[in-house]
């Protein structure tokens, strides 16, 4: 039953984001959704749903609109950089995170990479290495806002000191 629920959720997301309803795309959506549901249904929906699961699900739903807003803002910033290439200041930013769970770290890394102008290059234990295309993109990483929000989603302890350990090359 759990795998079926995960499959249905994934296939619904596929349909919304794909926007294509021909046989090939529907078949690919079915196959990919089924494969991911079989391999990782326990990750997405634990066997014994708990209050923690419900809270995390609610917080993910609240995090996604904020992330989409950040993606839009970063897209606008990249458009600005295209028109003003002198503002490009590529740099590598390294920071340690206070996030303890692997899932929270993966979500943070993917959120950073989804935001135009930044790419998570490496995650080793609690240290992230990120490429940023400009000072503004690097500042947004240093602010720790995304890390705090991801930590909030996964009920991680609030550790503001972790975002202060930032270096750049």
């Amino acid at each position: 039953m759990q795998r079926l629920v995960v499959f249905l959720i994934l296939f619904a997301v596929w349909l919304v984001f794909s926007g294509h309803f021909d046989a090939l795309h529907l078949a690919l959506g079915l196959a990919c959704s089924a494969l991911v549901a079989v391999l990782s249904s326990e990750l997405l929906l634990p066997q014994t749903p708990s209050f923690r699961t419900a809270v995390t699900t609610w917080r993910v739903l609240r995090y996604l609109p904020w992330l989409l807003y950040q993606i839009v803002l970063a897209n606008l910033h990249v458009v600005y950089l295209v028109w003003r290439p002198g503002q490009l200041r590529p740099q590598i930013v390294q920071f340690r995170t206070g996030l303890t769970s692997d899932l929270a770290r993966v979500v943070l890394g993917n959120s950073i990479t989804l935001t135009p102008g930044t790419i998570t290059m490496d995650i080793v234990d609690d240290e992230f290495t990120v490429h940023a295309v400009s000072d503004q993109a690097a500042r947004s990483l240093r602010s720790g806002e995304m890390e705090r929000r991801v930590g909030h989603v996964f009920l991680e302890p609030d550790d503001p000191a972790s975002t202060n350990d930032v270096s750049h090359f």
Side-chain angles (χ1 to χ4, degrees):
M1 180 66 172
Q2 176 187 14
R3 287 186 175 140
L4 177 63
V5 171
V6 170
F7 166 76
L8 291 173
I9 291 169
L10 291 172
F11 188 61
V13 169
W14 176 281
L15 289 174
V16 169
F17 285 119
S18 167
H20 296 282
F21 303 104
D22 57 279
L24 174 65
H25 285 94
L26 290 175
L28 287 172
L30 285 169
C32 290
S33 299
L35 181 64
V36 171
V38 167
L39 295 176
S40 63
S41 61
E42 291 83 22
L43 176 65
L44 299 174
L45 288 179
Q47 289 289 357
T48 54
S50 63
F51 178 72
R52 181 181 176 96
T53 304
V55 169
T56 301
T57 302
W58 173 248
R59 288 180 176 187
V60 165
L61 293 175
R62 289 180 46 211
Y63 173 72
L64 289 176
W66 179 85
L67 179 61
L68 288 173
Y69 177 69
Q70 295 305 307
I71 290 170
V72 168
L73 289 179
N75 270 300
L76 294 173
H77 178 65
V78 169
V79 167
Y80 170 80
L81 292 174
V82 167
W83 290 103
R84 303 231 180 201
Q87 298 295 314
L88 283 172
R89 306 265 190 282
Q91 53 196 283
I92 304 296
V93 178
Q94 292 182 313
F95 65 93
R96 293 195 184 280
T97 182
L99 301 175
T100 57
S101 78
D102 289 340
L103 182 58
R105 290 177 184 170
V106 167
V107 168
L108 177 60
N110 285 330
S111 296
I112 290 169
T113 298
L114 280 171
T115 307
T118 54
I119 296 176
T120 303
M121 296 169 45
D122 198 14
I123 304 172
V124 177
D125 296 325
D126 64 346
E127 187 171 335
F128 280 67
T129 304
V130 179
H131 179 271
V133 296
S134 67
D135 291 334
Q136 180 177 334
R139 272 194 307 276
S140 71
L141 283 172
R142 286 187 203 105
S143 76
E145 178 69 16
M146 189 175 286
E147 178 185 1
R148 282 190 293 279
R149 288 180 181 263
V150 170
H152 179 73
V153 166
F154 293 101
L155 307 168
E156 295 269 341
D158 200 16
D159 184 15
S162 67
T163 59
N164 293 335
D165 188 16
V166 176
S167 61
H168 51 329
F169 299 98

